[in-house]
Amino acid sequence: MRARDDANSLDQATSEFLTARPRLFGIAYRMLGSVVEAEDIVQEAWLRWQNTDHAEIQDPAAFLATVTSRLAINLARSAPKRREAYVGPWLPEPVETSADPQVGAERAEAVDLAVLFLLEKLNPVERAAYVLREAFDYPYQRIAEMLETSDANARQLVSRARRHLAAERREPVSPAAHRRLLEVFLSAARTGELSVLEEVLTMDVVSYTDGGGMRGASRIPVIGRAHVSRFVVAFAPRFWPGTEERWVEANGRPAVLVTAGDTVLALVSAEVSERGIERLMWVLNPAKLAPFVASLDG
């Protein structure tokens, strides 16, 4: 009888973890901007869950979310050193969201690539508070418990994160308007039409190319309409010929996968406001593109 009870308990614990898993991944991914690191965090949470006395846990989902958040905070604290060793600009790893627009969240907030990129500028605890509140709608009291702080401080953490993002990011346009402007940009980028590029780019646009050390990828951000336009025109002859474009959804926004035969060259995405294109994000790193392409193929 004892063995049967133990088996039933293990089955229940496994079921509780699998139910919570999408949310655990969503928390870790938003905090770290990396699918691989998020999966590692979820795996570590599973190991901790296996070694926990489940009879003492009243709310398994809350316990697992707390463990995941704290593990992600610890890993995020080491991110600056890892980013320093990264060659060129670092961009969050894209995820395909057409099947699951929320990526394990109750709300779709904090999954946009531009938001994830800006979250990197927050300290890990601010980032965690923002993600837990904006994406998962946790009450402040629960956030305070998860982050081992006071209710008042939890509110301050979220407020500071909101102010930072508001200062760095303009209101995005609708997905349809986003796609239209990205279409115009890509057409002009292919043909090297400088005047059209200058029309769709904002004055202070920034272009980031995440190549992870690949030859030909810009190792510094390109800043300003004139510089970005000329940069795009300069590499057009050696980048676009022989390529095809596939429209996809990356992190809840329209994006374009650029391929040459069976080779995936880049994922092109943008942050778009009513002013035009605010940020261009070119993911060329094969290690980041491979999981995204695999998810497209099911």
Side-chain angles (χ1 to χ4, degrees):
M1 180 67 81
R2 178 58 185 273
R4 181 179 299 174
D5 289 343
D6 288 346
N8 289 339
S9 177
L10 179 60
D11 287 345
Q12 181 178 350
T14 301
S15 176
E16 288 167 340
F17 181 84
L18 292 176
T19 299
R21 193 186 188 289
R23 170 169 290 206
L24 306 184
F25 174 83
I27 291 171
Y29 170 71
R30 284 170 172 80
M31 285 195 60
L32 300 167
S34 166
V35 172
V36 173
E37 290 179 352
E39 293 286 6
D40 288 344
I41 291 293
V42 171
Q43 179 63 24
E44 179 63 26
W46 164 243
L47 295 176
R48 303 244 179 140
W49 180 236
Q50 286 182 303
N51 295 322
T52 297
D53 184 352
H54 303 128
E56 295 184 357
I57 306 300
Q58 295 183 348
D59 188 341
F63 172 85
L64 288 165
T66 299
V67 169
T68 299
S69 299
R70 293 177 183 175
L71 288 170
I73 286 172
N74 290 337
L75 186 57
R77 283 176 172 146
S78 68
K81 290 185 179 179
R82 288 180 283 119
R83 301 287 185 261
E84 287 175 7
Y86 195 83
V87 180
W90 179 92
L91 292 173
E93 183 178 344
V95 291
E96 200 276 329
T97 49
S98 61
D100 179 10
Q102 298 176 328
V103 193
E106 292 179 356
R107 302 190 297 186
E109 278 80 355
V111 73
D112 189 307
L113 280 173
V115 173
L116 294 179
F117 178 71
L118 292 175
L119 286 178
E120 281 280 311
K121 299 182 180 182
L122 303 178
N123 73 55
V125 179
E126 287 177 341
R127 200 181 313 168
Y130 179 85
V131 166
L132 293 170
R133 180 65 182 173
E134 295 301 314
F136 298 93
D137 205 25
Y138 281 104
Y140 286 108
Q141 182 178 359
R142 177 58 60 83
I143 295 172
E145 293 169 356
M146 295 169 78
L147 302 184
E148 298 182 297
T149 188
S150 66
D151 190 319
N153 193 46
R155 292 176 182 275
Q156 288 179 353
L157 289 168
V158 174
S159 179
R160 284 202 299 267
R162 286 173 175 162
R163 287 198 303 269
H164 177 83
L165 292 177
E168 295 267 354
R169 185 168 185 255
R170 295 180 182 274
E171 186 69 23
V173 296
S174 69
H178 185 120
R179 173 164 175 156
R180 284 196 299 271
L181 203 60
L182 192 52
E183 285 176 339
V184 173
F185 168 79
L186 289 167
S187 175
R190 272 189 172 277
T191 55
E193 295 178 77
L194 188 63
S195 61
V196 177
L197 291 172
E198 291 177 339
E199 287 179 6
V200 298
L201 300 176
T202 61
M203 183 67 70
D204 50 356
V205 63
V206 184
S207 176
Y208 301 92
T209 305
D210 182 338
M214 285 184 58
R215 179 185 296 178
S218 175
R219 298 194 177 189
I220 59 172
V222 182
I223 303 171
R225 177 186 292 158
H227 290 116
V228 173
S229 298
R230 290 197 293 268
F231 170 73
V232 171
V233 169
F235 76 64
R238 61 179 183 272
F239 180 77
W240 294 107
T243 64
E244 295 182 354
E245 298 171 9
R246 175 182 177 184
W247 282 93
V248 295
E249 184 179 295
N251 295 66
R253 289 284 170 179
V256 168
L257 203 61
V258 182
T259 60
D262 295 331
T263 302
V264 179
L265 300 179
L267 179 76
V268 185
S269 61
E271 178 187 351
V272 182
S273 74
E274 290 289 348
R275 300 196 314 162
I277 294 176
E278 305 276 356
R279 286 183 179 86
L280 285 165
M281 292 166 283
W282 309 74
V283 178
L284 276 63
N285 188 337
K288 293 185 178 182
L289 291 172
F292 182 83
V293 175
S295 67
L296 289 176
D297 297 334

